[in-house]
């Protein structure tokens, strides 16, 4: 996933580049991307580091989490620098990330309905200003009204406009005596947003834009037909399962369960195997034992060869999946409230389990497909990184800042000269100072941005 080959990197507009980060309980993932001249989305690079201080998508240890973010951003900087330094015109530039777009979907994130009403004089025309006033009233309520439930307000989505008892899609310009607007307020665990901001501040980021993962994914994973007719987007992560309902081209509900595919890993660890081996065997077997004939296989665990029965392993996976699907079914039954649901779309690392599509269809009785970001190859990685790539797709650019170290050094030297000239007894300048300083800076940046993992054949494409 690289910048398009053939671009003159000296003339490339680096203001187009966006940096997105997805905070997960097991991995913090980051990516750099942009839209080219043809409007095609391009991903430059993706990096991942093991999470620390994060649980169910919630930053509980700010210092530990900020260390992960700092490492991730440095990896992204190194990778990007290794690409651009091949251009001699940019070889002595420093890369900084000014704006980072962060995708969130922590446990217990949920949508709550709120109705704002207005009694109006007879046949009053609904104006944009009136709608905006009601939106502000809802926001003002949401920012404080959910605190007693230990929840913070994230964003609001208008759902329905009711004029004198009748629903109207485009209320502006209509006449009525009573107007009510139904909002879907998305609320998150208390301090979720504040902790993320503080985490990135400690990691050296000056500006952070927080984005709701399911909203990002809906535009680049779901089809227009699915969004219109009714679809559930299920993001099956390691520590959480996000269930988002869309209908009539808008999100109707979201709820994030504090469960995920790592619970299957822990179940398999009871067979006296490591987490690493459990993850391998989890993706090798399936969620429906009767979909294939049973067989025995050998696997080295802690240095010893063990024999396992495939149907036993698949039975453990299926048992945990049944618990997941029971909870998902409960969420759907409560949130649909008579709404039609024609499709389920699965993304996330857990969606890579074998026969998971068939398992969902059998258990829930709803057509299911495996999702991926449009424009990317349909594969396991496309599902695993769906949240991250969707955030990158919706980011607004202006993330990367390039600093010319030569110019910066000249300004520093010039500033030092001005100060020295103000002293009556000027000391003679040492010859070769500028040259030596430049060499030191080059040595420093060469060490800082050295990318030992970069492939010499990794072209800018």
């Amino acid at each position: 996933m690289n910048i398009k080959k053939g671009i003159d990197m000296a003339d490339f507009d680096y203001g187009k580049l966006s940096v997105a980060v997805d905070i997960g309980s097991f991995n913090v993932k980051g990516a750099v991307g942009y839209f080219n001249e043809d409007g095609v989305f391009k991903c430059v690079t993706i990096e991942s580091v093991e999470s620390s201080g994060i649980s169910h998508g919630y930053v509980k240890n700010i210092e530990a989490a900020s260390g992960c973010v700092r490492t991730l951003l440095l990896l992204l900087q190194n990778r990007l620098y290794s690409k651009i330094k091949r251009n001699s015109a940019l070889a002595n530039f420093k890369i900084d990330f000014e704006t980072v777009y962060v995708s969130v979907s922590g446990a217990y994130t949920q949508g709550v309905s709120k109705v704002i009403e207005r009694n109006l004089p007879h046949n009053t025309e609904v104006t944009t200003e009136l709608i905006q006033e009601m939106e502000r009233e809802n926001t003002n309520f949401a920012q404080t009204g959910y605190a007693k439930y230990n929840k913070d307000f994230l964003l609001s989505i208008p759902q329905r406009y009711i004029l004198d008892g009748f629903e109207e899609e485009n209320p502006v310009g209509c006449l009525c005596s009573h107007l009510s607007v139904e909002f879907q307020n998305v609320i998150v665990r208390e301090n979720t947003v504040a902790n993320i901001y503080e985490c990135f501040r400690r990691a050296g980021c000056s500006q952070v834009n927080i984005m709701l993962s399911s909203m990002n994914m809906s535009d680049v994973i779901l089809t227009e037909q699915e969004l219109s007719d009714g679809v559930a987007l299920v993001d099956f992560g390691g520590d959480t399962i996000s269930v988002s309902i869309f209908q009539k081209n808008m999100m109707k509900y979201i709820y994030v369960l504090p469960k995920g595919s790592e619970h299957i890993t822990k179940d398999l660890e009871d067979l006296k195997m490591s987490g690493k081996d459990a993850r391998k065997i989890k993706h090798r077997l399936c969620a429906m034992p009767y979909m294939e004939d049973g067989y025995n296989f050998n696997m080295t665990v802690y240095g010893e060869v063990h024999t396992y029965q495939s149907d036993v392993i698949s039975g453990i996976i299926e048992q945990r999946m049944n618990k997941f699907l029971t909870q998902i079914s409960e969420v759907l039954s409560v949130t649909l409230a008579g709404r039609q649901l024609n499709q389920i779309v699965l993304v996330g690392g857990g969606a890579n389990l074998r026969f998971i599509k068939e398992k969902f269809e059998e258990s829930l009785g709803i057509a299911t497909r495996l999702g991926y970001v449009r424009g990317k190859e349909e594969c396991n990685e496309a599902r695993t990184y769906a949240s991250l790539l969707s955030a990158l797709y919706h980011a607004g650019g202006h993330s990367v800042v390039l600093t010319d170290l030569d110019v910066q050094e000249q300004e520093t030297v010039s500033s030092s000269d001005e100060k020295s000239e103000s002293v009556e007894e000027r000391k003679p300048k040492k010859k070769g100072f500028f040259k030596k300083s430049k060499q030191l800076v080059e040595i420093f940046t060469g060490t800082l941005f050295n990318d030992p993992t970069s492939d010499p054949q990794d072209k800018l494409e």
Side-chain angles (χ1 to χ4, degrees), residues 191-444:
N191 295 325
T192 293
V193 174
N195 288 0
I196 290 175
Y197 279 130
E198 179 61 17
C199 171
F200 278 81
R201 186 194 68 79
R202 294 190 189 186
C205 296
S206 59
Q207 185 172 342
V208 176
N209 289 344
I210 294 179
M211 315 163 81
L212 182 62
S213 176
S214 57
M215 289 292 289
N216 291 334
M217 290 191 290
S218 65
D219 289 340
V220 295
I221 293 176
L222 304 179
T223 67
E224 293 183 4
Q225 191 70 40
E226 289 169 340
L227 286 168
S228 176
D229 294 346
V231 60
L233 177 63
V234 178
D235 186 359
F236 198 166
D239 219 15
T240 59
I241 299 176
S242 170
V243 182
S244 306
I245 310 297
F246 294 87
Q247 192 178 46
K248 294 184 178 180
N249 298 306
M250 67 178 69
M251 190 175 78
K252 294 294 185 179
Y253 190 77
I254 178 174
Y255 191 79
V256 182
L257 298 164
K259 308 288 183 181
S261 64
E262 279 298 303
H263 286 73
I264 299 175
T265 303
K266 291 183 173 64
D267 291 342
L268 295 177
E269 286 177 358
D270 290 340
L271 297 178
K272 307 303 181 184
M273 66 176 67
S274 67
K276 182 179 180 180
D277 290 330
R279 292 184 188 94
K280 286 182 181 179
I281 203 172
K282 175 176 66 177
H283 291 289
R284 177 176 176 176
L285 276 301
C286 67
M288 300 176 74
Y290 52 84
M291 290 291 288
E292 59 184 11
D293 295 332
Y295 59 90
N296 295 337
F297 64 95
N298 296 327
M299 186 170 179
T300 302
V301 177
Y302 295 124
E304 296 183 4
V305 177
H306 293 261
T307 300
Y308 296 98
Q309 295 177 317
S310 65
D311 53 351
V312 172
I313 302 295
S314 294
I316 294 173
I317 297 173
E318 183 186 40
Q319 186 177 18
R320 177 59 67 176
M321 281 300 307
N322 287 338
K323 294 179 180 179
F324 291 155
L325 286 162
T326 296
Q327 292 180 294
I328 292 172
S329 178
E330 291 173 354
V331 171
L332 294 178
S333 63
V334 170
T335 59
L336 287 176
R339 300 189 186 103
Q340 187 175 5
L341 186 66
N342 296 315
Q343 184 82 38
I344 293 176
V345 177
L346 292 172
V347 294
N352 296 322
L353 290 171
R354 295 179 62 232
F355 300 124
I356 191 170
K357 169 185 176 295
E358 291 79 4
K359 183 64 178 176
F360 264 74
E361 289 178 333
E362 179 188 74
S363 300
L364 301 178
I366 303 172
T368 302
R369 73 173 177 88
L370 300 178
Y372 61 98
V373 176
R374 286 196 297 274
K376 300 297 177 186
E377 182 182 356
E378 184 176 0
C379 59
N380 289 355
E381 282 193 356
R383 281 182 284 278
T384 301
Y385 291 94
S387 178
L388 175 66
L389 292 174
S390 299
L392 191 63
Y393 186 93
H394 285 85
H398 307 291
S399 289
V400 176
V401 176
L402 297 182
T403 303
D404 189 335
L405 294 177
D406 284 340
V407 173
Q408 188 180 59
E409 182 183 14
Q410 291 174 16
E411 292 175 349
T412 302
V413 172
S414 176
S415 175
S416 300
D417 288 345
E418 290 175 0
K419 289 181 181 180
S420 63
E421 288 173 0
S422 65
V423 181
E424 292 183 1
E425 296 182 357
R426 300 175 187 169
K427 296 182 179 180
K429 298 177 182 177
K430 295 182 179 180
K431 294 182 179 181
F433 172 79
F434 178 83
K435 182 177 180 180
K436 289 182 179 179
S437 297
K438 181 178 179 180
Q439 291 174 345
L440 288 172
V441 171
E442 289 176 342
I443 292 172
F444 173 72

